[in-house]
Amino acid sequence: MRRVSQLCPGAVLTRLEKLVEPLRATVTTKVKANAVNQEYEKQDELKRSALRAVAALVLVPGADKHPQLNEFLAVIMSMPELRVPYKAVQKDPLTLGVFGSGGAASGAFGMSAAAGGGGGGGGFGAAAAGGHDSMDIS
Protein backbone atom coordinates (compact mmCIF):
# COMPACT_ATOMS: atom_id res chain seq x y z
CA MET A 1 0.00 0.00 0.00
CA ARG A 2 2.86 2.33 0.81
CA ARG A 3 4.39 1.93 -2.63
CA VAL A 4 1.10 2.38 -4.48
CA SER A 5 0.25 5.45 -2.42
CA GLN A 6 3.64 6.91 -3.34
CA LEU A 7 3.48 6.14 -7.04
CA CYS A 8 -0.20 6.98 -7.66
CA PRO A 9 -1.47 9.18 -4.82
CA GLY A 10 -4.31 10.58 -6.94
CA ALA A 11 -5.61 7.13 -7.85
CA VAL A 12 -5.37 5.99 -4.23
CA LEU A 13 -7.21 9.09 -3.07
CA THR A 14 -10.08 8.54 -5.50
CA ARG A 15 -10.49 4.92 -4.33
CA LEU A 16 -9.98 5.54 -0.64
CA GLU A 17 -13.54 4.61 0.30
CA LYS A 18 -13.05 1.15 -1.22
CA LEU A 19 -9.86 0.67 0.79
CA VAL A 20 -11.09 1.77 4.20
CA GLU A 21 -13.80 -0.84 4.77
CA PRO A 22 -11.64 -3.94 4.15
CA LEU A 23 -8.95 -2.45 6.40
CA ARG A 24 -11.55 -1.76 9.08
CA ALA A 25 -12.78 -5.36 8.86
CA THR A 26 -9.23 -6.65 9.20
CA VAL A 27 -8.27 -4.62 12.26
CA THR A 28 -11.56 -5.20 14.09
CA THR A 29 -11.79 -8.96 13.53
CA LYS A 30 -11.61 -10.89 16.78
CA VAL A 31 -10.13 -14.37 17.12
CA LYS A 32 -12.42 -17.02 18.57
CA ALA A 33 -11.99 -17.76 22.26
CA ASN A 34 -11.00 -21.38 21.60
CA ALA A 35 -8.39 -20.45 18.95
CA VAL A 36 -4.88 -21.84 19.07
CA ASN A 37 -1.86 -19.59 19.57
CA GLN A 38 -1.02 -19.70 15.85
CA GLU A 39 -4.40 -18.13 14.99
CA TYR A 40 -3.76 -15.28 17.45
CA GLU A 41 -0.35 -14.67 15.89
CA LYS A 42 -1.78 -14.73 12.37
CA GLN A 43 -4.50 -12.23 13.29
CA ASP A 44 -1.95 -9.96 14.99
CA GLU A 45 0.19 -9.95 11.84
CA LEU A 46 -2.85 -9.21 9.66
CA LYS A 47 -3.76 -6.38 12.01
CA ARG A 48 -0.23 -4.92 11.87
CA SER A 49 -0.26 -5.11 8.06
CA ALA A 50 -3.61 -3.34 7.89
CA LEU A 51 -2.37 -0.66 10.29
CA ARG A 52 0.72 -0.16 8.11
CA ALA A 53 -1.61 0.34 5.15
CA VAL A 54 -3.66 2.88 7.13
CA ALA A 55 -0.48 4.72 8.10
CA ALA A 56 0.52 4.86 4.41
CA LEU A 57 -2.94 6.10 3.39
CA VAL A 58 -2.88 8.84 6.00
CA LEU A 59 0.29 10.22 4.46
CA VAL A 60 -1.24 10.65 0.99
CA PRO A 61 -1.71 14.37 0.36
CA GLY A 62 -5.43 15.16 0.58
CA ALA A 63 -6.36 12.05 2.58
CA ASP A 64 -7.07 14.23 5.60
CA LYS A 65 -10.21 15.46 3.81
CA HIS A 66 -11.68 11.97 3.44
CA PRO A 67 -14.50 11.46 6.00
CA GLN A 68 -14.38 7.64 6.06
CA LEU A 69 -10.64 7.61 6.68
CA ASN A 70 -10.99 10.28 9.39
CA GLU A 71 -13.71 8.27 11.12
CA PHE A 72 -11.70 5.05 10.86
CA LEU A 73 -8.63 6.76 12.27
CA ALA A 74 -10.75 8.06 15.16
CA VAL A 75 -11.86 4.47 15.86
CA ILE A 76 -8.24 3.29 15.83
CA MET A 77 -7.16 6.05 18.20
CA SER A 78 -10.06 5.38 20.58
CA MET A 79 -9.19 1.70 21.05
CA PRO A 80 -5.99 1.05 23.04
CA GLU A 81 -5.53 -2.38 21.41
CA LEU A 82 -5.32 -0.61 18.04
CA ARG A 83 -3.82 2.74 19.05
CA VAL A 84 -0.63 1.25 20.53
CA PRO A 85 0.31 -0.86 17.48
CA TYR A 86 -0.73 1.98 15.14
CA LYS A 87 1.63 4.38 16.93
CA ALA A 88 4.41 1.77 16.65
CA VAL A 89 3.74 1.37 12.92
CA GLN A 90 3.86 5.15 12.46
CA LYS A 91 7.37 5.19 13.89
CA ASP A 92 8.57 2.47 11.50
CA PRO A 93 10.70 4.16 8.81
CA LEU A 94 9.56 1.63 6.19
CA THR A 95 5.95 2.69 6.71
CA LEU A 96 6.69 6.38 6.30
CA GLY A 97 8.02 6.28 2.75
CA VAL A 98 8.37 9.54 0.89
CA PHE A 99 5.34 11.36 2.28
CA GLY A 100 6.60 11.16 5.86
CA SER A 101 8.31 14.52 6.01
CA GLY A 102 5.30 16.42 7.24
CA GLY A 103 3.50 16.97 3.95
CA ALA A 104 -0.09 18.06 3.49
CA ALA A 105 -1.66 15.14 5.35
CA SER A 106 0.62 14.93 8.33
CA GLY A 107 -0.67 17.90 10.30
CA ALA A 108 -4.34 17.02 9.96
CA PHE A 109 -3.84 13.57 11.44
CA GLY A 110 -1.66 14.74 14.29
CA MET A 111 1.57 13.32 12.93
CA SER A 112 4.46 15.52 13.79
CA ALA A 113 8.09 14.59 13.43
CA ALA A 114 8.17 13.74 17.14
CA ALA A 115 5.10 11.48 16.78
CA GLY A 116 6.62 9.50 13.94
CA GLY A 117 5.51 11.57 10.98
CA GLY A 118 8.90 12.90 10.00
CA GLY A 119 12.01 11.57 8.41
CA GLY A 120 10.74 9.98 5.23
CA GLY A 121 12.61 12.14 2.78
CA GLY A 122 10.35 14.91 1.61
CA GLY A 123 9.14 14.19 -1.88
CA PHE A 124 9.11 11.82 -4.79
CA GLY A 125 12.85 12.20 -5.18
CA ALA A 126 13.57 10.82 -1.71
CA ALA A 127 14.25 7.28 -2.90
CA ALA A 128 16.75 8.47 -5.47
CA ALA A 129 18.31 10.84 -2.97
CA GLY A 130 18.95 8.13 -0.40
CA GLY A 131 15.51 7.97 1.26
CA HIS A 132 14.14 4.88 2.95
CA ASP A 133 13.22 3.14 -0.28
CA SER A 134 16.74 2.93 -1.69
CA MET A 135 18.34 -0.45 -1.27
CA ASP A 136 21.90 -1.56 -1.93
CA ILE A 137 21.87 -5.01 -3.50
CA SER A 138 25.58 -5.40 -4.12
Side-chain angles (χ1 to χ4, degrees), residues 2 52 86-97 116 118 132:
R2 177 182 55 86
R52 279 192 294 270
Y86 180 72
K87 293 281 189 184
V89 163
Q90 284 181 310
K91 292 177 184 173
D92 182 2
L94 295 177
T95 301
L96 296 175
H132 294 293

Side-chain angles (χ1 to χ4, degrees), residues 127 131-138:
H132 294 293
D133 287 335
S134 61
M135 190 181 311
D136 184 15
I137 309 183
S138 35

Side-chain angles (χ1 to χ4, degrees), residues 42-101:
K42 180 180 176 184
Q43 184 57 35
D44 284 346
E45 185 55 39
L46 286 171
K47 195 176 291 187
R48 274 191 301 276
S49 292
L51 291 173
R52 279 192 294 270
V54 171
L57 291 174
V58 164
L59 296 175
V60 173
D64 57 329
K65 295 174 181 73
H66 194 277
Q68 283 181 308
L69 184 60
N70 286 331
E71 189 270 331
F72 181 38
L73 194 61
V75 168
I76 290 172
M77 299 311 275
S78 70
M79 299 173 68
E81 66 272 14
L82 296 177
R83 182 179 57 242
V84 171
Y86 180 72
K87 293 281 189 184
V89 163
Q90 284 181 310
K91 292 177 184 173
D92 182 2
L94 295 177
T95 301
L96 296 175
V98 296
F99 294 130
S101 66

